[in-house]
Amino acid sequence: MRRRPLPSAAAIAVAVALAACGSAPAATSAEPSSEPPSTAAPSAAGSSAPPTSSAPRPSPTSSAALADQLDFSLPGVGGGTVDGSTLGGRDVLVWFWAPWCPTCRAEGPAIAKIAADYRGRVSVLGLGGLSQDTGAMRDFVAQTGTDGFPQAADTAGEVWAAFGVTSQYDFALVDDSGAVEVIRGPVDPDTLRSRLDALVAS
């Protein structure tokens, strides 16, 4: 799987976000892929339908508890809007995926199971990117069974850049104090669960 570069317009945002990110262990490298890069123009269109997740999402406990990277509002893949600020004061797992990525597609069911198993302890957020095809994003979510937690369409790559993420299947852990750690993927489910257990216990 080749890693896809973000549009160069995100470079300045990446530099700012890296100052807030902790160091992360490297994971296995991606396998080669012949998938074509996305060349469509960015789109921020969304619909007025309700978000796909019904999980409770409390307001931030304080402004200091909200990571800067979560201060966003994006169209939900299934409609409506995903407001990252509602995750302030919570432990959060952010999953970065692309709709054309077979590795992302393969790990989707495991992420859905993790979201269900950690409900009430860790909020899981999906950030689809590296594509402007929102229809393909909707298909991805439906086909992988990942509609049980919020899925946002970051078609412009702005939130990806804020986290310092430039390729699909990376993850970010955000603790309830707003500290951020990016984990370069892919990551096997058992390792991810161990990291989440440590996040909850901290």
Side-chain angles (χ1 to χ4, degrees), residues 38-123:
S38 174
T39 57
S43 168
S47 75
S48 58
T52 58
S53 172
S54 60
R57 301 179 55 202
S59 300
T61 56
S62 69
S63 59
L66 177 65
D68 290 342
Q69 294 91 331
L70 291 178
D71 189 13
F72 68 82
S73 181
L74 289 173
V77 170
T81 301
V82 175
D83 185 355
S85 67
T86 63
L87 298 173
R90 300 293 302 272
D91 291 327
V92 182
L93 170 68
V94 185
W95 174 42
F96 300 88
W97 56 267
W100 44 258
C101 168
T103 299
C104 304
R105 188 173 295 274
E107 70 187 2
I111 303 302
K113 183 68 164 56
I114 285 172
D117 291 347
Y118 283 82
R119 189 179 303 275
R121 293 181 292 159
V122 177
S123 296

Side-chain angles (χ1 to χ4, degrees), residues 7-198:
S8 59
I12 294 176
V14 172
V16 173
L18 287 176
C21 296
S23 60
T28 56
S29 59
E31 64 273 18
S33 169
S34 59
E35 293 154 345
S38 174
T39 57
S43 168
S47 75
S48 58
T52 58
S53 172
S54 60
R57 301 179 55 202
S59 300
T61 56
S62 69
S63 59
L66 177 65
D68 290 342
Q69 294 91 331
L70 291 178
D71 189 13
F72 68 82
S73 181
L74 289 173
V77 170
T81 301
V82 175
D83 185 355
S85 67
T86 63
L87 298 173
R90 300 293 302 272
D91 291 327
V92 182
L93 170 68
V94 185
W95 174 42
F96 300 88
W97 56 267
W100 44 258
C101 168
T103 299
C104 304
R105 188 173 295 274
E107 70 187 2
I111 303 302
K113 183 68 164 56
I114 285 172
D117 291 347
Y118 283 82
R119 189 179 303 275
R121 293 181 292 159
V122 177
S123 296
V124 179
L125 168 67
L127 281 178
L130 297 182
S131 173
Q132 290 78 42
D133 189 342
T134 55
M137 289 185 180
R138 285 193 297 273
D139 290 344
F140 175 95
V141 169
Q143 293 164 7
T144 57
T146 53
D147 54 353
F149 55 93
Q151 296 281 1
D154 189 16
T155 55
E158 293 176 353
V159 180
W160 280 48
F163 276 95
V165 170
T166 59
S167 59
Q168 69 278 10
Y169 52 68
D170 283 353
F171 294 87
L173 299 177
V174 185
D175 73 14
D176 54 12
S177 70
V180 176
E181 179 185 8
V182 173
I183 305 173
R184 304 302 177 187
V187 181
D188 67 86
D190 289 341
T191 298
L192 194 55
R193 286 174 180 273
S194 294
R195 300 300 301 271
L196 291 176
D197 289 341

